[in-house]
């Protein structure tokens, strides 16, 4: 074989291998990005989906929706007001634990709304929160389950106490703007 023929075979082969390497790197990088951003919610979503690809498509869809939301940090006066309200909810727990858990749920929902998260339904709240708060989302799920039990008066005091701890984890993160990226003013 002549040198020209060898080059005509080798060069396209090297280009194909290089393109494959770049494609694999981008694919792995995109998956890593989703795992890092969503934390435990990545595995949960992928397991619930028909396939890994479908789960990752769902997560990218959540990112896209989240990017269209106007999530904003709270002014310090609002943070102080929410902190005082949380203190009141904690004090209420001593005498009225079920009502305190309901109030904690309402307070977290109110805080989400003021930050710019839509609050039209629990499942949508989970999807929206998962983008920036995936690591504390399990707390919210657990607290919400106990809140539902308590409406039927079936939650134990220990479960109610646990719900308060779970609500507090998400509350603190939302209050401090934790997990979120600061947006430049428009």
């Amino acid at each position: 074989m002549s040198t020209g023929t060898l080059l005509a075979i080798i060069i396209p082969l090297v280009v194909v291998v290089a393109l494959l390497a770049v494609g694999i790197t981008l694919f792995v990088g995109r998956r890593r990005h989703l795992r890092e951003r969503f934390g435990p919610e990545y595995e949960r979503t992928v397991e619930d989906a028909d396939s890994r690809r479908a789960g990752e498509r769902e997560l990218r869809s959540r990112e896209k929706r989240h990017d269209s939301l106007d999530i904003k940090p709270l002014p310090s006066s609002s943070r102080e007001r929410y902190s005082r309200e949380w203190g009141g909810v904690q004090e209420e727990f001593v005498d009225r634990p079920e009502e305190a858990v309901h109030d904690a749920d309402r307070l977290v929902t109110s805080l989400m709304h003021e930050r710019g998260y839509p609050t039209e339904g629990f499942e949508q709240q989970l999807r929206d929160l998962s983008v920036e708060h995936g690591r504390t989302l399990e707390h919210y799920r657990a607290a919400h389950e106990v809140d539902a039990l308590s409406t039927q008066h079936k939650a134990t005091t220990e479960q109610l106490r646990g719900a308060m701890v779970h609500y507090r984890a998400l509350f603190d993160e939302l209050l401090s703007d934790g997990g979120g990226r600061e947006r430049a003013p428009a």
Side-chain angles (χ1 to χ4, degrees):
M1 259 194 243
S2 71
T3 306
T5 305
L6 279 174
L7 287 176
I9 294 171
I10 293 174
I11 289 175
L13 194 59
V14 167
V15 169
V16 167
V17 168
L19 288 174
L20 280 173
V22 168
I24 290 170
T25 301
L26 289 175
F27 178 75
V28 169
R30 200 162 72 189
R31 180 169 285 163
R32 185 178 316 120
H33 160 77
L34 290 173
R35 282 179 186 225
E36 288 172 2
R37 184 158 199 192
F38 286 91
E41 190 64 15
Y42 173 88
E43 291 301 328
R44 179 186 199 91
T45 302
V46 167
E47 285 175 15
D48 289 347
D50 294 336
S51 67
R52 180 172 297 280
R53 178 176 282 175
E56 289 176 349
R57 192 175 323 120
E58 163 64 19
L59 293 172
R60 284 191 298 277
S61 169
R62 291 180 190 185
E63 282 183 316
K64 192 175 207 175
R65 175 181 159 90
H66 185 274
D67 289 346
S68 72
L69 299 175
D70 185 24
I71 308 299
K72 55 197 169 288
L74 291 174
S76 60
S77 60
S78 291
R79 280 196 307 273
E80 290 167 11
R81 177 176 47 84
Y82 277 107
S83 290
R84 281 192 309 275
E85 288 181 36
W86 182 264
V89 169
Q90 284 182 303
E91 288 175 16
E92 177 185 24
F93 185 82
V94 174
D95 295 322
R96 301 175 3 173
E98 284 183 342
E99 290 83 359
V101 168
H102 298 315
D103 289 344
D105 182 72
R106 283 191 288 274
L107 189 59
V108 166
T109 302
S110 174
L111 176 55
M112 288 171 50
H113 179 73
E114 190 167 338
R115 290 281 317 275
Y117 287 98
T119 56
E120 65 261 10
F122 181 69
E123 291 302 319
Q124 186 60 53
Q125 288 175 4
L126 289 175
R127 287 189 292 274
D128 291 338
L129 286 169
S130 71
V131 178
E132 296 293 341
H133 304 281
R135 298 192 194 301
T136 55
L137 212 51
E138 215 36 57
H139 288 287
Y140 192 37
R141 277 190 183 93
H144 188 75
E145 286 177 24
V146 173
D147 186 39
L149 277 176
S150 73
T151 60
Q152 303 164 12
H153 307 291
K154 293 183 179 179
T156 67
T157 304
E158 188 57 28
Q159 287 173 314
L160 293 168
R161 187 197 66 73
M164 291 295 289
V165 170
H166 290 307
Y167 276 127
R168 181 65 189 243
L170 179 60
F171 178 84
D172 284 345
E173 191 168 294
L174 287 169
L175 192 66
S176 69
D177 303 327
R181 298 172 311 212
E182 297 256 348
R183 291 178 182 237

